[in-house]
Amino acid sequence: MREETLQVITRMQKNEVAEHAVYGALAKRIKGPNAKILAKIAGEEEKHARIWARYTGVMPKCPKWKIFYHQILAMVFGLTFVINLMETGEEKAQEIYSSISDEVPEALSIYEQEQEHEQALIEMIDEERLKYISSMVLGLNDALVELTGALAGFTFALGESRIIAMAGFITGSAATLSMAASEYLAKKNDPGEKHPFKAAIYTGIAYMIAVTALLIPFFFIPVPVAALFFCLVNVAIVILVFTFFVSVVRKEPFKPAFLEMICISFGVAAISFIIGWIARTALGIEL
């Protein structure tokens, strides 16, 4: 066997072992149908790893830190996120398996199993949060655009971090309740929606997470412009994390969505900052 082929097999075996260990650990921590599905996927991954062991001569173990790391990710972002994240790159797998099929006859059959059986199992994963992902996107996007603009305007118009924080908190709280109520009414009037209250809760939670992230700098940094700078840094981080989450669970391109949201939020902030400067200058208000 060529050295290049053995390296490919070793790499794939390590991936299979890691997936077996992570999925198996997650299956033990949850209950219901999802646990059985994960256990089945873990079993498939172990079978594949043992097939590769015939060629590598070893059965490696998954590092404990990797299992713990993915358990934390599952708690925060959900099972679908972790599974899709671990399966990233599978679209290139067919080319890899085909390249070694002459030396490893089982390669293509393993690929077919992963594509058919495991993907079918993955699609059976049922997570409540994914049913309301559109509500979370609505709440988060609206909060980032609306509150970023408001805080930028307040920064120049009010000129004191504590006052800006107070105004932002009042604005954010009112907007959270407004968005949640609007989502509730919208979903209630949707014939296919069974849980409008849950949709409202997810929208409100996403909105309030964004509000909290944006306001924190103004509570701790006395210089308003400096606080606004770190507020915008937090905006970028929230957009980065949430856009990555959505791109993984929906299997959509990350970069276009991230750049679009960054441009919108920062563009609104710049316009609002100018409006705040014009309002303060025109009205002659000094605080």
Side-chain angles (χ1 to χ4, degrees):
M1 180 178 291
R2 293 177 301 157
E3 181 64 27
E4 294 83 356
T5 301
L6 185 60
Q7 289 178 358
V8 170
I9 292 174
T10 301
R11 185 170 66 251
M12 290 191 297
Q13 185 187 28
K14 288 181 179 179
N15 290 338
E16 304 279 11
V17 168
E19 290 172 0
H20 161 65
V22 171
Y23 296 155
L26 291 175
K28 293 176 182 178
R29 294 179 62 89
I30 62 176
K31 298 179 180 180
N34 286 346
K36 295 180 180 179
I37 295 170
L38 285 174
K40 288 182 179 179
I41 298 175
E44 289 293 320
E45 301 292 3
E46 184 182 25
K47 289 179 183 177
H48 298 161
R50 293 194 179 281
I51 292 175
W52 298 131
R54 300 172 190 169
Y55 298 91
T56 63
V58 295
M59 188 66 175
K61 292 184 178 181
C62 179
K64 291 184 178 180
W65 69 264
K66 183 175 287 189
I67 299 174
F68 178 74
Y69 169 71
H70 284 92
Q71 285 177 328
I72 296 297
L73 286 181
M75 290 173 60
V76 177
F77 297 108
L79 295 174
T80 302
F81 175 85
V82 170
I83 292 173
N84 286 352
L85 189 64
M86 295 193 71
E87 298 291 334
T88 299
E90 286 295 320
E91 63 276 3
K92 299 179 181 179
Q94 185 174 14
E95 182 180 343
I96 297 173
Y97 282 101
S98 297
S99 67
I100 65 173
S101 59
D102 291 339
E103 297 177 80
V104 186
E106 301 97 327
L108 289 179
S109 64
I110 291 176
Y111 172 75
E112 291 174 0
Q113 286 180 27
E114 290 192 348
Q115 290 300 297
E116 295 176 6
H117 189 190
E118 291 178 13
Q119 286 303 315
L121 290 171
I122 289 171
E123 290 172 4
M124 291 170 61
I125 296 290
D126 182 27
E127 285 193 275
E128 181 179 84
R129 74 183 73 185
L130 297 186
K131 298 176 183 178
Y132 300 101
I133 195 169
S134 61
S135 297
M136 291 190 286
V137 170
L138 173 66
L140 196 74
N141 287 356
D142 192 85
L144 290 172
V145 174
E146 181 178 339
L147 197 61
T148 301
L151 290 173
F154 291 159
T155 296
F156 206 96
L158 301 179
E160 186 175 337
S161 289
R162 289 182 301 171
I163 297 176
I164 295 169
M166 179 184 67
F169 178 74
I170 294 171
T171 302
S173 298
T176 298
L177 296 174
S178 175
M179 280 297 300
S182 297
E183 182 70 356
Y184 173 79
L185 293 174
K187 295 298 184 183
K188 187 176 182 180
N189 292 318
D190 182 355
E193 178 59 52
K194 297 181 180 179
H195 304 288
F197 183 72
K198 286 185 178 180
I201 292 296
Y202 277 101
T203 301
I205 290 174
Y207 201 109
M208 208 62 208
I209 288 173
V211 169
T212 303
L214 270 58
L215 287 181
I216 284 176
F218 290 96
F219 282 106
F220 295 100
I221 301 175
V223 181
V225 176
L228 178 63
F229 170 78
F230 285 102
C231 170
L232 295 177
V233 171
N234 285 354
V235 169
I237 293 173
V238 171
I239 292 174
L240 175 69
V241 172
F242 194 75
T243 306
F244 182 65
F245 166 74
V246 173
S247 69
V248 170
V249 297
R250 288 184 171 178
K251 296 185 177 180
E252 297 175 347
F254 164 74
K255 189 175 179 180
F258 173 72
L259 292 178
E260 180 183 47
M261 195 61 211
I262 280 285
C263 290
I264 292 174
S265 296
F266 279 60
V268 169
I271 294 171
S272 300
F273 190 87
I274 294 171
I275 291 173
W277 174 76
I278 293 173
R280 182 169 180 173
T281 303
L283 298 175
I285 297 174
E286 296 291 337
L287 297 177

